[in-house]
Amino acid sequence: MPIGVDDFKAIYERNLYYVDKSMFIKDILDDGAEVNLIARPRRFGKTLNLSMLRYFFEKTEEDRKSLFRNLDIWQQGERYQQEQGKYPVITLTMKSLKMNTWQNNYSRLCALLATEIERHSYLYEKGTLSSNDNYVINRILDRSADESEYGGSLELLSRLLHAYHGQKVIILVDEYDTLLNEAYIYGFYDKAANFLRILLGEAFKSNIHLRKGVMTGIFRVAKESIFSGLNNLKVSTIIQDEYKEYFGFTEPEVQKTLEDFGLTKQVGEVIKWYNGYRFGEERPLTIYNPWSIIQYADQRKLVSYWVNTSDNLIVRKLVTEGSGEIQQQVAALLKRQEIGPIRIDDTIVYRDVERSSETIWSFLLISGYLKTVNLERHTEGMLRGLFGMLTIPNEEVHDFFAEMLSSWFSDTVKGGSAIKLLQALTDGDIATFSGMLQETVLHAFSYHDVGDDRSESFYHAFVLGLLVYLDKEYEVVSNRESGYGRHDVMIVPRGNGEGRKGVILEFKRADKLQEESIDAALDAALRQIEEKQYEAVLRSRGIQNVIKLGVAFKGKQVKVKGGE
């Protein structure tokens, strides 16, 4: 299996296992669009497919026909065979732009641009360039160029290649939005977006030297004006039907792979763990995560392969810092329920991701953490657009959400004493629980995290942590009907309870910071538990020992009080 190998030629030369996706070449050639932007989740084969395009199209002294003779594209006849090795190709991958400052990423990007120009050194080594072109090329190579010169480097290189070869250029840009993702997390978004607007705009907009352009990424970031005015751009996300079979494995491809590796009997478990993605709207196709399939075929263990915590900072940020409504829906997802219907928007606007729950769910869908159960497009009335029910696609991603929240909860509780805090809660040790909760809020979070506008999010995320940590022995229910009202959190022992206590928590935010205000909120919380008879569910399950807790908060100040 080609574990970590995303160079198409290396797979051929090392005789590694390959699932034939070469008809992607045919579809790119047949596509009337001059530039294609294809957005798919990470590790779904984007880099390998762009590498395949490069080796097919690139004009070199090396004969690369042997790479394709046994693939489907070669069986399409002379019309497509004659396209092999015909064009100069510019290739740029941005997947390494994951540093936490703009300057470091900019420096790295400039080095990548210089390296690509250096790869075509025959253009300038003979001294045939104009003095102006030679001046700019030298400044780029010795890292003294200014931002506008680096920004125009792809357009400049395409012009020089076109003149030299007499053929228009193919430009391939891999993971174009990696930089934007890091920029959003670390706070230099505008600088990154402004530079990409120049670099990609000049490469793809009104570039008379361009034959075809293909960009890949996780998201479609069209509304950010990076591609402003780029009317030759065609976008394909997991919602569109185009190219859906080329990124990820189809069901027949998975069955053939498992058969080739002697794993036919494991198909059912593999489906449960790695299946679940649906690409396309009108003709949805079931797609498997290719990274997980090849890892499983190699290691033969049903574990999580796709999730890498270093790539999931933004998901953790959205889930743990989002609104209470967001976190309630995450709780439903963890219980393998569907949420929705949700309006689906495959155009991601980074600066708006945290402002709208619909945007967050679209973000998680497009990036591969959720799947659509069904899609329905409304064309009339106020609710126009594409709507769908969403759920977690498989066991691997379910494990990710559970582990992420478990890790967040453990990191949040001061000193890593999450088990001790939960033990105090379920034992009814109010003093210990109250003290540890107060300590957590004081020491683990800034006021920004639990200020008036964010405090409820913190407590809802805290409840999600409870849900994950206690899941084996307790059912954690949030904001459900019980008795004559709605409780905030109920912790219900599973099975017959085995003598364990049930817990009811009612959260209240105090109107003022004064002690009497917080005490009044505590009393109101406990009074609500009694008046609404929240313990009815617990009593009906035969659980007689019930802990009733009021939790009042205001900013960083938290108090807990037990009821009778």
Side-chain angles (χ1 to χ4, degrees), residues 9 34-36 46 51 59 65 87 93 108 123 182 243 290 298 309 317 421 488 498 503 519 544-545:
K9 182 181 177 184
E34 190 173 43
V35 181
N36 285 91
K46 298 187 295 294
S51 176
K59 181 179 181 181
K65 290 183 175 63
Y87 304 97
T93 179
R108 174 62 179 157
L123 293 172
E182 301 304 306
Y243 303 115
D298 183 67
T309 53
K317 175 181 173 68
L421 181 145
D488 270 347
E498 299 177 353
V503 183
D519 288 338
Q544 301 303 317
N545 200 340

Side-chain angles (χ1 to χ4, degrees), residues 7 105 186 208 240 269 413 456 512 532:
D7 182 275
N105 281 298
Y186 295 109
I208 62 173
Q240 281 77 42
E269 285 298 305
V413 178
E456 292 189 44
K512 300 177 182 178
K532 301 294 185 181

Side-chain angles (χ1 to χ4, degrees), residues 408-441 444 458-459 462-463 465-467 469-470 474 491 503 505 507 547 549 551 558 560:
W408 175 87
F409 186 77
S410 181
D411 293 344
T412 299
V413 178
K414 191 175 186 313
S417 305
I419 300 299
K420 183 179 179 181
L421 181 145
L422 294 176
Q423 190 68 51
L425 173 62
T426 54
D427 284 349
D429 185 350
I430 300 171
T432 300
F433 174 72
S434 179
M436 293 189 70
L437 180 60
Q438 178 69 76
E439 194 175 19
T440 294
V441 175
F458 162 68
Y459 289 103
F462 186 82
V463 170
L466 292 177
L467 187 154
Y469 253 94
L470 296 173
Y474 295 88
I491 301 174
V503 183
L505 297 99
F507 291 92
I547 302 166
L549 297 178
V551 181
V558 183
V560 180

Side-chain angles (χ1 to χ4, degrees), residues 96-380:
S96 64
L97 301 180
K98 293 185 176 181
M99 287 157 277
N100 59 10
T101 68
W102 164 242
Q103 192 53 49
N104 286 342
N105 281 298
Y106 176 70
S107 178
R108 174 62 179 157
L109 181 52
C110 291
L112 292 173
L113 292 167
T115 298
E116 182 60 12
I117 288 178
E118 209 166 30
R119 193 171 73 89
H120 301 278
S121 59
Y122 59 87
L123 293 172
Y124 54 83
E125 286 179 341
K126 296 179 180 179
T128 57
L129 298 184
S130 70
S131 58
N132 183 63
D133 288 343
N134 194 62
Y135 171 77
V136 175
I137 289 289
N138 285 330
R139 280 169 57 83
I140 291 173
L141 293 175
D142 66 19
R143 309 296 194 275
S144 63
D146 59 32
E147 190 169 303
S148 65
E149 290 168 326
Y150 279 116
S153 59
L154 295 183
E155 191 278 335
L156 169 63
L157 183 56
S158 67
R159 173 166 58 83
L160 298 179
L161 286 169
H162 186 192
Y164 184 93
H165 292 282
Q167 285 283 359
K168 290 187 176 183
V169 176
I170 303 245
I171 301 180
L172 308 174
V173 178
D174 189 28
E175 304 288 4
Y176 84 99
D177 58 342
T178 298
L179 177 59
L180 295 175
N181 186 71
E182 301 304 306
Y184 169 74
I185 294 172
Y186 295 109
F188 53 90
Y189 188 87
D190 288 340
K191 291 181 179 178
N194 288 338
F195 183 75
L196 288 182
R197 185 177 299 115
I198 298 171
L199 180 70
L200 300 179
E202 293 201 13
F204 295 119
K205 180 182 177 181
S206 303
N207 184 355
I208 62 173
H209 311 289
L210 181 67
R211 170 66 175 88
K212 283 277 186 182
V214 181
M215 286 181 285
T216 67
I218 296 176
F219 303 112
R220 170 189 182 184
V221 197
K223 289 184 181 177
E224 300 288 356
S225 298
I226 292 173
F227 307 118
S228 177
L230 193 62
N231 55 14
N232 59 341
L233 175 68
K234 178 179 179 179
V235 178
S236 170
T237 70
I238 64 171
I239 302 302
Q240 281 77 42
D241 288 292
E242 292 85 359
Y243 303 115
K244 60 190 175 187
E245 67 269 38
Y246 300 126
F247 297 86
F249 292 162
T250 64
E251 197 145 35
E253 289 170 343
V254 170
Q255 291 174 348
K256 178 66 164 60
T257 300
L258 295 178
E259 179 184 332
D260 290 344
F261 282 80
L263 296 167
T264 305
K265 294 181 180 180
Q266 285 73 29
V267 169
E269 285 298 305
V270 169
I271 289 174
K272 179 181 176 182
W273 267 85
Y274 308 118
N275 183 19
Y277 297 94
R278 284 165 56 92
F279 290 0
E281 178 186 349
E282 295 181 1
R283 303 178 305 279
L285 186 65
T286 298
I287 294 291
Y288 288 69
N289 185 323
W291 175 259
S292 299
I293 294 299
I294 65 173
Q295 290 277 3
Y296 171 74
D298 183 67
Q299 300 185 34
R300 306 189 178 212
K301 295 178 181 179
L302 289 166
V303 296
S304 298
Y305 296 109
W306 180 64
V307 175
N308 182 315
T309 53
S310 65
D311 291 332
N312 294 305
L313 289 176
I314 193 169
V315 178
R316 174 167 164 167
K317 175 181 173 68
L318 292 175
V319 171
T320 58
E321 297 181 16
S323 68
E325 179 188 359
I326 297 281
Q327 288 149 357
Q328 290 170 38
Q329 290 177 299
V330 171
L333 291 168
L334 282 168
K335 295 171 185 175
R336 294 176 170 81
Q337 298 170 2
E338 298 173 8
I339 62 171
I342 303 291
R343 186 195 298 270
I344 307 300
D345 184 357
D346 61 359
T347 301
I348 298 300
V349 183
Y350 275 96
R351 65 185 80 235
D352 291 342
V353 165
E354 295 179 81
R355 300 175 188 171
S356 163
S357 60
E358 287 183 346
T359 304
I360 290 175
W361 300 127
S362 293
F363 182 96
L364 294 174
L365 171 67
I366 298 301
S367 52
Y369 295 95
L370 297 175
K371 76 165 184 177
T372 57
V373 178
N374 54 61
L375 288 173
E376 184 176 346
R377 188 171 293 278
H378 298 174
T379 58
E380 297 179 356

